[in-house]
Structures are given as C-alpha cells and as structure tokens.
Amino acid sequence: METIPFHRPFIGKEEEEAALRVLRSGWLTTGKEALAFEEEFRTFLSIKDCSFSKNESRENGDSTQSNLFCLAVNSGTSGLHLALEALGIGTGDAVLLPSYTFTATAEVVRYLGAEAVFIDIAEDSYNIDPQSLERTITELSKTAGNKHKAIIAVHIGGLPCDMTAINSIAAQYGLAVVEDAAHAFPVRTSESQWAGCCSDVGVFSFYATKTITTGEGGMIVTGRKEIANRMSIMRSHGIDRPAWNRYTDTNASWYYEVVAPGYKYNLPDLLAAVGRVQLGRATELLSMRQKIAERYDKAFVDQPALIISAPGGARHLYTVRLRDAEKRDTFIESLRKEGIGTSVHFIPLHIMPYYRDRYNLKPEDFPHSYQRYKETVSLPIWPGMTDAQIDRVIEAVKKAICHIIFS
Ligand SMILES: *Cc1c(COP(=O)(O)O)cnc(C)c1O
C-alpha cells in the first residue's frame, strides 16, 4: 500500500532548470535572481491593490502603493527577527502574540531579549482573539512591568486574522503590528488588501511545506521605508553595501562599512531562482489546494464526529476537529495504519516546557488554544495529489471515524 505523505512539495521541470541556470552561472549567493524575485513579488502584490492604509496615516502619506518594499530572506523566522529588530523591540519589551502558533513566532521575541505575552485564540477560530488581546493590553498597562511594544498576528492555516480589529487596538495603544503570514500566501483580507500587507511589516515563509517553497526562505514586505532600510542592512551583517552591489559597482568594489552587528539572513540566488518559478505558479497552486479542500469539505460535512474548518483562506492547512477530543490520538493512529500522513497544528506554546516554565503558565490559562490543540488534526493537502489519493484519504478518514465510534 502506497503511503500518502502529509506533504509533498510541487516541483517541476522549470524549478529544476532555474536551479541549474544558477548553478552554471558562476554566482550562487544573493544577486540578480534574488533582486528579480523581490521585484516580481512586489509586482504580484501591487497589481492587486495592496495598500498599507495604517502606515499611510502614520507617516503622512509616505507609504503609498508604489512604496512597497520586498526583502528576500533565508527563512520566515529570519524575517520576523529582522522585523522586530527594525521596529525597535529590545530587552524588557513585551510582544503580544497568540499561544496557538509555531515557536518561530515567539522565539524571535526572545532573541531580542523581549518577553512573549501569549494571547488566547477566539473560541470560533484558530486565530488570536482581539478581545483577549485588548484585555491583556489593559492589564499590562496597569502594572509597571514590561513596556508593550508590538503585536504579532498569525494567519493560521492561511485564514486571515481580523486585521481591522487588531490594527484599531494597536493604534489605540500605540503598538506596532507584525503579521506572521507564513501560511498566508496568497490570500486577501479584503478586496483591496493582501494578508501580510495589512500592518507595519508582514513576513511570508517559503519553508518546504509552505504554499510556495524554496526549501528554506522567506519574504518580508513593508510600506515603511526606514524600516525596510534597517532590515536590508541587518540582513547582511550590518554592512551598508551588500556583496552584489559591490560586485556590480564600477568604483571602489572592495570598500564597505559595518554600521551594526547584523545577521546573515540573505536568500541565495540558487533558492531565489526556484522561488521565482514558484511565485509564477502561486495562483495555480492555490486553486489546486482549493479543489482538494472542497472535496474534503463535501465528504466530511455530514460526519457528526468531525468539525470541519471555515472555508476560504490560502488553504495552507486542512484541519478537522474531533468532537470527542479524547479520540484524537486514536484517529491519528488509525490514519497512520492506513498509510495516511497527518500532523497537528499546533501544540500551543504555553504548554511547551520553555515558555511554560519561563512564564509559569498552565494549560487552562489559554482554554481555547488548549481545547483546539486537543481536537485538531491536519490532513494532507498538497498540489499534485491525485483524485485517487484524495479518495484514499477520505475513505481512511471515514474508516477512522468508525474505528473511534466503536472503540
Ligand atoms: C513556518 C512558520 C514560520 C517560520 O518560517 P520558516 O521559514 O520555517 O522560518 C513562522 N511562523 C509560522 C506560524 C510558521 O508555520
């Protein structure tokens, strides 16, 4: 019996050729491919009316649609780190973020010596609850503890957060907003906006399992020029002139200045070239995922044991919830025996030993996150799944349901 993996990247001839082109070019690190990838990403987001409304008001019209900066980086995590650093997050600051996310969202806060303040998700979604967010900010304001500086909104599974509510809270309390859009390419939050483009800085991930991939990689987007400049310098060692610029400059190609102890976060051309091909496929890949999700929805909507997720979004994940959370692990095991790969997104951070112990947290401190975690399973949803493979997942799920009902 053939196993159906939880994920398989969609890589074609064009990606192979792009990688070969770079391998044969004599320039492997960040150069013209990365620049082209950034420019093409910018075009993708621009033509569809991406607007940085919040920043426009903040910077007196400095941020317009033509003022969209895209920076390719070697991972989404690097991008989040650069974003917080450029926004001035440092020791003792508090950064508010959902407990229901991958550790990358929170670890970057700790890289900078700031503290992660977890917020529960809403009862009816996987995303941060704006009401809990506001309540926590009000409580924090009363104590003389951390300065609260930023909010990270995570579009879990590619279903966008309520950015209008989050931005309005942020504006009221003077906080910066970063979108962890690792799952959210490409998806709109409204007719005129893209997820990842609704805040001070948005970060996409091109990790192997994400909606488009370079193996490892990411893209930062912002409408704020000085933030973009800082991130660009910090992305390559805090050097004011990256290698490609020095290489292509006709005078003083050897001279550069180090203006900060920066990082090594640039995306090599070898990966950027693959990213350019994937970007060109992004809408096609989305529609392939949508078709799989629609077939799952149709098959599972009448299953009383399951709760299916809200439709829409980038469909990075297809999650179902078990009405009887106690049976979740048996359900997963039953699928495994049928050769179906699954995953759980996510084990909430507040129960992870590091965060639990550092902040003295209990599972019930974030009841919605904890409940969702116990109920949730992610099923395979990757472009290239055949009809037969989709059918097999559906049959295996039905069989697993019978199994848990009678176990
Ligand atoms: C994948 C992921 C990231 C990090 O992306 P990398 O490119 O793997 O560094 C950040 N946040 C979330 C929610 C993710 O799933």
Side-chain angles (χ1 to χ4, degrees):
M1 183 179 54
E2 172 220 20
T3 4
I4 299 173
F6 172 66
H7 184 81
R8 205 188 141 85
F10 189 94
I11 298 293
K13 267 259 167 314
E14 293 86 346
E15 282 86 347
E16 289 176 9
E17 279 159 13
L20 273 177
R21 177 178 76 232
V22 176
L23 284 171
R24 290 169 179 159
S25 73
W27 187 276
L28 304 184
T29 184
T30 305
K32 63 178 184 218
E33 295 284 344
L35 283 173
F37 187 30
E38 290 173 344
E39 194 48 41
E40 286 158 12
F41 210 86
R42 207 177 83 84
T43 305
F44 186 100
L45 296 175
S46 305
I47 34 167
K48 310 277 168 62
D49 274 327
C50 171
S51 70
F52 285 84
S53 50
K54 180 161 157 265
N55 301 322
E56 267 163 22
S57 59
R58 255 191 206 178
E59 293 186 10
N60 300 321
D62 181 39
S63 295
T64 58
Q65 284 179 28
S66 59
N67 225 349
L68 169 64
F69 303 91
C70 293
L71 288 98
V73 281
N74 63 357
S75 76
T77 308
S78 316
L80 290 168
H81 185 195
L82 289 174
L84 293 182
E85 198 276 341
L87 289 166
I89 303 303
T91 310
D93 289 338
V95 176
L96 302 117
L97 60 113
S99 55
Y100 205 90
T101 184
F102 183 58
T103 189
T105 321
E107 73 195 34
V108 294
V109 173
R110 296 292 305 128
Y111 290 178
L112 294 161
E115 302 301 339
V117 177
F118 295 119
I119 308 292
D120 206 358
I121 55 173
E123 192 172 6
D124 58 353
S125 96
Y126 285 96
N127 287 335
I128 192 165
D129 176 24
Q131 285 173 350
S132 305
L133 176 66
E134 184 156 25
R135 219 176 305 126
T136 305
I137 294 172
T138 322
E139 279 161 26
L140 276 181
S141 309
K142 286 188 207 135
T143 62
N146 301 318
K147 298 163 282 171
H148 42 282
K149 280 271 185 78
I151 300 165
I152 309 179
V154 190
H155 308 296
I156 296 289
L159 210 57
C161 297
D162 183 348
M163 290 309 296
T164 310
I166 292 165
N167 282 333
S168 114
I169 294 165
Q172 193 181 336
Y173 295 92
L175 306 181
V177 180
V178 171
E179 285 165 275
D180 178 340
H183 301 181
F185 187 78
V187 59
R188 289 165 190 267
T189 56
S190 71
E191 259 176 42
S192 59
Q193 268 175 329
W194 291 100
C197 299
C198 303
S199 58
D200 292 285
V201 185
V203 181
F204 298 98
S205 165
F206 309 135
Y207 177 67
T209 61
K210 300 291 160 71
T211 56
I212 66 168
T213 185
T214 57
E216 300 282 358
M219 188 71 76
I220 314 176
V221 297
T222 183
R224 297 181 60 180
K225 190 168 186 196
E226 77 291 356
I227 298 288
N229 281 346
R230 175 71 182 179
M231 294 190 297
S232 168
I233 289 168
M234 294 307 278
R235 174 177 58 174
S236 46
H237 304 289
I239 289 172
D240 63 348
R241 219 153 50 113
W244 178 253
N245 298 44
R246 295 200 306 276
Y247 175 74
T248 50
D249 240 2
T250 41
N251 49 24
S253 68
W254 55 270
Y255 188 74
Y256 60 84
E257 288 181 346
V258 174
V259 297
Y263 311 106
K264 172 70 182 175
Y265 284 170
N266 53 302
L267 184 72
D269 269 11
L270 189 53
L271 302 184
V274 173
R276 293 176 67 191
V277 180
Q278 289 268 300
L279 177 64
R281 295 191 196 279
T283 16
E284 177 201 346
L285 296 177
L286 171 65
S287 85
M288 288 160 103
R289 290 191 303 275
Q290 283 167 337
K291 287 205 180 92
I292 301 166
E294 278 160 25
R295 293 207 37 209
Y296 283 163
D297 280 352
K298 222 170 123 203
F300 304 145
V301 70
D302 294 328
Q303 294 288 338
L306 296 183
I307 306 169
I308 61 173
S309 291
R315 290 295 195 182
H316 166 55
L317 300 174
Y318 188 91
T319 52
V320 293
R321 290 187 288 146
L322 278 292
R323 266 185 217 284
D324 183 354
E326 306 261 292
K327 301 283 172 68
R328 196 267 314 262
D329 297 356
T330 316
F331 182 79
I332 290 175
E333 184 51 23
S334 170
L335 288 174
R336 195 191 62 79
K337 284 188 185 140
E338 292 294 315
I340 311 295
T342 58
S343 191
V344 173
H345 298 92
F346 285 97
I347 307 168
L349 297 182
H350 75 280
I351 68 170
M352 289 293 183
Y354 174 73
Y355 298 107
R356 177 195 66 202
D357 297 346
R358 180 167 184 87
Y359 300 119
N360 196 18
L361 301 170
K362 290 172 196 57
E364 57 279 13
D365 288 346
F366 303 95
H368 300 320
S369 295
Y370 191 55
Q371 184 59 26
R372 286 245 162 188
Y373 153 60
K374 288 189 295 182
E375 299 165 346
T376 290
V377 187
S378 299
L379 299 177
I381 179 165
W382 37 272
M385 278 181 87
T386 62
D387 284 344
Q389 287 173 318
I390 300 167
D391 286 338
R392 266 205 45 213
V393 175
I394 291 170
E395 287 317 307
V397 165
K398 288 182 177 166
K399 205 164 154 184
I401 291 170
C402 286
H403 186 76
I404 58 173
I405 289 172
F406 298 108
S407 70

